[in-house]
Amino acid sequence: MSAARAWVAQPEEAEVVAALLLGFRDHMGHDSPSANAILAGVERLFEDPDAEFLLATPNDDAPPAGV
């Protein structure tokens, strides 16, 4: 079994980041912002050189499970 790992997300991972943020929004019992607004915000932040998202996975065989 491999160890947990974290990395700086790349722009092509915007949908993964947005999906994790959407899951957190749902967990908190909210229904806004919309999925499209979350994705648009993530994509906009990827354009900012001072902003980063970190993704994490429990092991190399698992998809990202945290942002």
Side-chain angles (χ1 to χ4, degrees), residues 7-36:
W7 65 96
V8 176
Q10 299 302 305
E12 59 270 12
E13 295 173 298
E15 289 184 8
V16 173
V17 170
L20 289 165
L21 293 173
L22 184 63
F24 181 70
R25 180 208 70 181
D26 293 347
H27 171 76
M28 296 301 293
H30 299 286
D31 57 5
S32 65
S34 70
N36 288 338

Side-chain angles (χ1 to χ4, degrees), residues 42-58:
V42 167
E43 290 173 337
R44 198 168 35 255
L45 283 169
F46 267 116
E47 295 174 5
D48 182 341
D50 294 325
E52 292 180 334
F53 292 101
L54 296 178
L55 289 173
T57 185

